[in-house]
Amino acid sequence: EEIYNARVDCGYEIFNLLVSEAFVFFKNAFPAFKDVPERERDLIFKDYLGKFSTVDGYYRTRQTWGEVKHYMMCSVVTCYDRDRFNRLDSIAKEKQGDAKFMLSSARMFSGDQSALVLPVFNRSNITDKEFYALVALVMSELDSGCTVSEQALTILDRYRSDTLEALQTYYQDELELANFSTRLGNLMSLSHAIQECKSLHKVFFRFHSTFFDSYTINEALKNLFL
């Protein structure tokens, strides 16, 4: 009944809560990882967090607003205006040079992410069950820098194959589609676009952390995204 409009930068203030909630979901949705060493489980979660947040945010936004335009949902009850960067705007007004460059780079990243994801998301028009399938599919494709054991890779492959099998059953039995190649292809393209967004975010985060020292007070944030 009520949606709270928050500033983009206030997300850092509630960051630990958001990560904790995502980790609870991760453990409940993918229980097989309890059998792998904690270090590897944490690496997989670290790789997964940004992708999960992107899928969840875009899907909730479409459900709430009908389209992804100005407002983005970051939880069930909280949204933010993706065109406004309040803290950066205020810095840019006070200073010249670096502050304006910092603001323009943040807006450029937001635009680049939308250009990658939105066309495929809009074309796919995914259902609830496809959303849950996508949540599993984006996890199964690890970043090249994330090295884990054969045991962990086997679990990831099993979740991926089980998800694809469940999707096939869903398309045939519930949607009664004789040919579901286009729908499945859109979902796989969306998974790939989310992976690209995650890589783009890593570059953006490293850039802001290095050139503007943006996240020195939030070590948890740096540890997750760098």
Side-chain angles (χ1 to χ4, degrees), residues 182-224:
T182 299
R183 200 165 187 99
L184 182 58
N186 283 338
L187 204 63
M188 299 305 291
S189 295
L190 189 50
S191 176
H192 182 68
I194 297 294
Q195 183 72 27
E196 286 191 65
C197 272
K198 189 253 180 183
S199 300
L200 182 67
H201 179 261
K202 194 171 183 179
V203 172
F204 165 78
F205 195 90
R206 184 182 293 118
F207 174 76
H208 266 232
S209 182
T210 302
F211 284 88
F212 303 113
D213 215 17
S214 306
Y215 308 105
T216 52
I217 62 172
N218 197 328
E219 287 298 319
L221 200 64
K222 290 178 70 174
N223 290 337
L224 269 172

Side-chain angles (χ1 to χ4, degrees), residues 17-225:
L17 176 62
L18 296 176
V19 173
S20 296
E21 290 179 346
F23 191 59
V24 170
F25 168 81
F26 176 74
K27 289 194 298 183
N28 291 336
F30 308 108
F33 289 119
K34 72 179 187 302
D35 297 325
V36 303
E38 183 178 358
R39 183 194 68 83
E40 292 196 354
R41 184 196 63 195
D42 290 347
L43 275 175
I44 293 169
F45 175 70
K46 176 180 175 179
D47 181 82
Y48 179 59
L49 178 62
K51 295 182 287 188
F52 168 75
S53 299
T54 303
V55 174
D56 188 54
Y58 275 90
Y59 186 64
R60 286 190 194 282
T61 301
R62 280 183 60 90
Q63 282 189 313
T64 305
W65 304 102
E67 61 179 344
V68 180
K69 196 171 181 181
H70 297 298
Y71 295 106
M72 282 286 293
M73 299 300 295
C74 54
S75 75
V76 176
V77 295
T78 308
C79 75
Y80 61 85
D81 187 337
R82 55 195 297 272
D83 294 326
R84 294 177 61 196
F85 295 86
N86 300 62
R87 183 171 62 88
L88 300 186
D89 275 326
S90 63
I91 292 173
K93 288 176 183 177
E94 294 174 8
K95 301 178 181 179
Q96 299 295 319
D98 285 351
K100 288 186 176 180
F101 182 48
M102 184 179 183
L103 178 60
S104 66
S105 67
R107 286 187 167 136
M108 184 172 64
F109 163 74
S110 178
D112 287 346
Q113 177 174 278
S114 294
L116 273 172
V117 176
L118 269 182
V120 194
F121 223 113
N122 291 334
R123 182 172 72 243
S124 302
N125 195 25
I126 62 176
T127 64
D128 285 348
K129 289 193 176 181
E130 286 175 312
F131 162 71
Y132 290 117
L134 185 60
V135 161
L137 288 173
V138 297
M139 180 194 63
S140 65
E141 188 177 350
L142 289 181
D143 189 276
S144 57
C146 186
T147 304
V148 295
S149 65
E150 283 296 324
Q151 179 191 13
L153 290 174
T154 299
I155 293 172
L156 286 166
D157 286 342
R158 188 165 73 242
Y159 276 126
R160 180 182 177 84
S161 61
D162 287 350
T163 299
L164 291 173
E165 183 178 338
L167 272 173
Q168 181 172 328
T169 301
Y170 168 63
Y171 289 143
Q172 291 176 329
D173 296 349
E174 293 191 43
L175 297 188
E176 298 181 343
L177 296 175
N179 184 351
F180 51 83
S181 58
T182 299
R183 200 165 187 99
L184 182 58
N186 283 338
L187 204 63
M188 299 305 291
S189 295
L190 189 50
S191 176
H192 182 68
I194 297 294
Q195 183 72 27
E196 286 191 65
C197 272
K198 189 253 180 183
S199 300
L200 182 67
H201 179 261
K202 194 171 183 179
V203 172
F204 165 78
F205 195 90
R206 184 182 293 118
F207 174 76
H208 266 232
S209 182
T210 302
F211 284 88
F212 303 113
D213 215 17
S214 306
Y215 308 105
T216 52
I217 62 172
N218 197 328
E219 287 298 319
L221 200 64
K222 290 178 70 174
N223 290 337
L224 269 172
F225 291 135

